Structure formats: structure tokens, C-alpha cells
Amino acid sequence: MVDTMEKEYKENHDFLEAEGLTMHFPAKRDSLGRPVSWIHAADDVSFRVPKGKTLGVVGESGCGKSTVGKMLLNIYRPTSGKIYYEGTELTGLAPRERRPYVKRMQLVWQDPYSSLDPRLRAGDIIAEGIDNFHLAASAAQRRERVEQLMTMCGLYPEQAGNYPHQFSGGQRQRICIARALATDPEFIVCDEAVSALDVSIQAQIINLLKDLQDELSLTYLFISHDLNIVHFISDEIIVMYLGQIVERGTMEKVYQNRAHPYTKALFSATPAFTAAEKQHKTRIILEGDVPSPVDPPKGCRFRSRCPYAERRCEEEPQWHEVESGHFVKCRLFD
Ligand code: SF4
């Protein structure tokens, strides 16, 4: 009984946790090179990703979603905040201690064209992680693993000797996925992973990611500006605006019962698929531009564009539980 409970706990507990992640980049420096103003790329971003699930991250371009992914993978060192991986705090680790986690956490980039070195053959690109972490004892073992990864990702092993320009866009993204899988990771950040592809190819790549998730028990952070894709692939979602999370919850609850005025506007801009949706859909047009991340509005950051903004929105809104497993940061729910 205890064993079963322990197993259940291990399967369901939060696998990855971000606590108060903040990333400020210098915007301007004085004559001595000291920063005098900062870009608030991400502020106080907290979330949890359960094992084997997908957390979708949505928001307009510049909202901080890619910055969050890069902080998780240590590409950016957070200005403040903590990252926990199966209970271990990664942010406090020395580079050598962090190395095993680099192997377990990988990235699939947005652009399958620029992220592949045109001078390398597909097999060598896929083997990058195998080489970096010395995961093959011999050349034969390396070749075998590359062939296995190519097959898993829907590529022909005979293509291992081809260069990136000899592949289509979809095939290049399959190479990127195979490269990410080479270290046998548990967690993958997919940063706009299908945005550069045609719609029909997008569906194939999304299905491949889902199949791989089932097969290998992968956990994804899926960053995208395309809400329909995020809806299809995600179990949970966070909505970001100007460096902050404004709404979070299980995908279906947020989709069915959008609470934050920004989330409503964002979803209203996605194309409707069914006749019923088309009939009921009203596009919410937001006035004004996204404010500068160098000087974001005080209080609610969305207030300069929110149709419901009032005086009290000049103060920082608190989180409210709209329903079980669904939270919003907006004063309308005070
Ligand atoms: Fe709009 Fe105020 Fe809610 Fe911000 S807190 S989203 S300004 S109503």
C-alpha cells in the first residue's frame, strides 16, 4: 500500500517548479558602463509543471515567455527567483553540479533553418548531445543511437549523411527534435517549435511531440503565440503579459472560462473552427500598444489597455481562485 502511494506520489508530484523568476536586462548604461535603466523581461513568474504533462505558455511577442524558457535551461541566469527540479534547487548549483541537469533538460528552437549548422551532416547534428556527454562507447554505438533517434522522429536513417539544406522544413524540425532527444532528456522546452512551419506540417510535428511524450514520459514547456496549438497540446496553461503571469490553470478551465480581460482578448483573436464558434465569436480589439518593458505601468501592467481599468487598478492586483485549479490576477475578482 505504502509502495503504491509512494509510486502515485512520484508520478503526480510537481516535477519542475519556478518560484518568483525575475529577469532584468540592462537597457541603458552610463559613461562608466553601469546600468541606469532595466528591461523588465520577466517579473515574479511562478508555476509548476507536473511530470509527464505539458504546460503551455502564451502571450504576445515580447511578453517574456521565451525568457522564462531560457531561464529554466540556464541560458539566462535569473536576476532573482528559484528553479526546482524534482525538489533540487537548480539556481543555487555550481556549473559542475548543474551539468547532469543540462543533460536532462533540452530545447527545441523556433527556427529549424537557422538552428542547424549548414556545414554539418544530419547524423552529426543529432549526435551533438551524445558527443558532449560521452554517451556512446564506440563509433558503432553512436551510429546506432543516431539511427534509432532518426527513426523515432520519422526520418530515414539513410539520410544521416545529408546536409540540412537537403531536408524540408518539417524534416529539419524533426532533426532538431532528434537532437534534443539524444541525451535522453526528461524535460523539453519547445520555444515556438512549429511557428515557422506550414499549417499541415505543424500538425504532423505536434502529433510527433505528443507521441514522443507518451512513449518517453516527457514533460514539456510549450511556448507559443498560437492559442489553438497550445490548446491542442497543453494540459495546463499560463498567460503572460508584459513580463508577468496574469492567468493560469488547467487548459480546459482557462479555455472554457477565460477570466482575465487580456486572456479574453487574446483568445478572441484566434480563428474559430466550428460554425457555433463562428456565430458567437466577437473579436476584442485592444486599444494602444504594449507599454515599454523598461518602464512598465505601476499596479496592473495591463491597465493602459484594459477596457475595465479603474483607479484601484493602479495598485498591484492579487491572485484570485476563479474555480478549483484556475487562477487570475485581476481586481475585477476582488
Ligand atoms: Fe483590467 Fe484592472 Fe483587471 Fe488590470 S486589474 S485587468 S486593469 S480590471
Side-chain angles (χ1 to χ4, degrees):
M1 180 67 180
V2 174
D3 278 358
T4 320
M5 280 170 63
E6 208 166 285
K7 188 168 175 273
E8 237 169 62
Y9 170 78
K10 279 194 176 145
E11 278 169 4
N12 298 325
H13 82 293
D14 294 318
F15 174 68
L16 189 108
E17 188 178 347
E19 198 183 274
L21 282 186
T22 298
M23 187 75 231
H24 294 169
F25 298 105
K28 264 193 188 160
R29 294 178 187 272
D30 64 14
S31 55
L32 297 173
R34 291 172 302 204
V36 288
S37 61
W38 299 88
I39 298 166
H40 294 242
D43 268 312
D44 197 19
V45 173
S46 300
F47 55 85
R48 293 167 170 197
V49 197
K51 192 167 175 60
K53 303 285 184 199
T54 300
L55 175 71
V57 187
V58 298
E60 289 163 296
S61 124
C63 71
K65 47 192 195 307
S66 289
T67 302
V68 168
K70 287 177 180 153
M71 282 192 280
L72 294 181
L73 296 177
N74 208 25
I75 297 170
Y76 293 154
R77 197 194 170 106
T79 307
S80 63
K82 291 175 177 171
I83 298 162
Y84 295 93
Y85 189 97
E86 292 191 313
T88 303
E89 194 205 320
L90 299 187
T91 18
L93 297 180
R96 228 184 50 178
E97 293 169 320
R98 178 117 186 195
R99 196 164 155 77
Y101 295 93
V102 175
K103 180 175 166 287
R104 292 159 78 178
M105 302 167 80
Q106 291 291 326
L107 172 69
V108 175
W109 294 93
Q110 170 176 12
D111 191 349
Y113 297 90
S114 63
S115 67
L116 300 179
D117 188 334
R119 296 160 304 175
L120 294 182
R121 294 175 194 274
D124 292 325
I125 292 171
I126 294 169
E128 270 171 24
I130 302 174
D131 298 340
N132 288 344
F133 288 92
H134 312 292
L135 300 176
S138 63
Q141 214 179 67
R142 179 186 188 265
R143 195 173 50 246
E144 211 174 286
R145 176 70 174 141
V146 167
E147 287 177 2
Q148 184 197 28
L149 289 162
M150 291 185 84
T151 310
M152 272 165 72
C153 294
L155 295 160
Y156 296 109
E158 308 85 75
Q159 295 173 304
N162 292 1
Y163 290 96
H165 72 269
Q166 295 174 287
F167 292 90
S168 66
Q171 286 174 324
R172 289 185 210 202
Q173 198 54 301
R174 288 173 192 270
I175 296 174
C176 293
I177 296 169
R179 173 175 61 181
L181 292 177
T183 60
D184 215 2
E186 296 163 332
F187 174 72
I188 298 183
V189 173
C190 302
D191 189 358
E192 300 281 7
V194 294
S195 304
L197 304 172
D198 291 345
V199 176
S200 60
I201 309 295
Q202 283 183 347
Q204 292 172 16
I205 299 295
I206 292 292
N207 285 331
L208 171 67
L209 288 169
K210 279 189 110 150
D211 290 346
L212 291 168
Q213 181 170 45
D214 291 343
E215 210 175 306
L216 306 171
S217 305
L218 295 169
T219 304
Y220 292 141
L221 186 89
F222 195 88
I223 299 167
S224 179
H225 66 277
D226 188 325
L227 283 152
N228 281 325
I229 292 176
V230 170
H231 180 207
F232 180 69
I233 197 168
S234 304
D235 300 288
E236 301 196 7
I237 183 174
I238 56 179
V239 182
M240 290 189 68
Y241 181 78
L242 204 54
Q244 291 184 328
I245 300 178
V246 295
E247 186 161 357
R248 62 188 159 89
T250 59
M251 186 66 236
E252 274 322 300
K253 283 183 179 167
V254 174
Y255 185 76
Q256 299 295 344
N257 186 20
R258 299 143 211 181
H260 196 280
Y262 176 63
T263 312
K264 288 182 183 176
L266 209 57
F267 273 94
S268 81
T270 59
F273 284 120
T274 64
E277 259 183 31
K278 275 185 191 142
Q279 210 180 353
H280 295 294
K281 198 151 196 166
T282 318
R283 176 87 197 262
I284 301 168
I285 310 279
L286 292 174
E287 303 282 326
D289 295 323
V290 181
S292 164
V294 176
D295 188 19
K298 301 277 175 292
C300 175
R301 290 193 178 176
F302 186 55
R303 72 187 162 86
S304 58
R305 302 173 78 200
C306 178
Y308 309 101
E310 18 176 296
R311 193 76 193 260
R312 61 190 177 137
C313 304
E314 290 170 20
E315 284 167 33
E316 181 80 18
Q318 302 299 309
W319 280 104
H320 298 278
E321 189 165 16
V322 183
E323 57 193 314
S324 160
H326 179 188
F327 302 86
V328 66
K329 198 177 178 191
C330 170
R331 289 200 157 259
L332 291 177
F333 294 82
D334 276 359

